[in-house]
Amino acid sequence: MKVLLVGSTGVIGGAVADALRGAGHEVVGVSRSSTPAVDLDDPPSVKKLYAAIGPVDAMICAAGTAKFGPMAKSTDELFRVGIVNKLMGQVNLVRFGLDSVKGSFVLTGGLLAHKPWPNTTALAMVNAGLEGFTRAAALELPGRRITCVCPPLVRETAVKLGMGEQGAAAADVAQVYVRALEADSGSTLFVPGFEG
């Protein structure tokens, strides 16, 4: 399959690119700094991306930004970041990709929708919204699939943040994306061992 991979330079995205290539798929990796580029904050850039790459068999998004913060001190801006970027950015990848993506859409939510931590209200809200969108959009995509993968904290990210070696390895998370791509039907998928 020819797979458009949004966020191909991130921790999860890089691992997904390797896993897809290992499974024999052709990967068209894009990010904010690629050519063509895409910025999930900017809907016209999503439209330009699809115009530039043409038809693909599938689209996987391993990108999206949302912010941590205590609810009592949260600002509209803290919530806006996740709504505009991680939620609407991925919604727009589906909406604007209906003519370009012939098979499967795979989005990235997160386990925080099911098992939130303190200071994660904005992230939990956005992740839950992505799951709701996925379930509803599946009803309007006959002949195609849409799936939302819900990874936990990724070990490589935890190490960079000084949180120790907790969470799932990016390579293990990446295999769930490959499973989502090759599945017979859309659903919400959790990383094995971190189910909600």
Side-chain angles (χ1 to χ4, degrees):
M1 277 189 241
K2 182 178 181 180
V3 182
L4 170 63
L5 175 58
V6 178
S8 61
T9 59
V11 172
I12 292 176
V16 171
D18 291 342
L20 290 171
R21 289 186 184 106
H25 299 291
E26 176 187 352
V27 177
V28 179
V30 297
S31 67
R32 283 179 285 192
S33 59
S34 64
T35 303
V38 65
D39 181 351
L40 295 184
D41 284 337
D42 180 30
S45 84
V46 176
K47 291 180 179 179
K48 288 178 186 173
L49 171 67
Y50 282 119
I53 63 158
V56 293
D57 298 303
M59 186 284 301
I60 295 176
C61 182
T65 299
K67 294 193 172 187
F68 291 88
M71 187 177 64
K73 296 182 180 179
S74 293
T75 62
D76 287 352
E77 178 60 17
L78 182 138
F79 282 95
R80 187 201 70 80
V81 168
I83 292 167
V84 170
N85 188 285
K86 187 169 184 179
L87 178 59
M88 284 308 301
Q90 292 189 82
V91 167
N92 288 336
L93 283 167
V94 176
R95 291 172 57 220
F96 303 151
L98 293 175
D99 292 332
S100 299
V101 178
K102 304 306 176 192
S104 183
F105 293 94
V106 180
L107 308 180
T108 297
L111 197 60
L112 291 173
H114 301 267
K115 293 185 177 180
W117 310 336
N119 303 321
T120 64
T121 52
L123 288 96
M125 177 189 73
V126 165
N127 291 341
L130 282 163
E131 289 186 35
F133 169 77
T134 299
R135 284 190 291 272
L139 303 174
E140 300 185 41
L141 294 172
R144 288 186 274 186
R145 296 182 309 281
I146 182 167
T147 307
C148 185
V149 174
C150 296
L153 179 64
V154 174
R155 185 173 305 149
E156 291 85 344
T157 301
V159 169
K160 285 181 185 177
L161 295 174
M163 299 170 70
E165 293 194 12
Q166 60 178 309
D172 293 335
V173 172
Q175 292 303 318
V176 178
Y177 285 83
V178 175
R179 256 185 36 225
L181 177 70
E182 297 173 345
D184 291 332
S185 62
S187 63
T188 301
L189 289 179
F190 297 95
V191 176
F194 293 89
E195 289 79 4

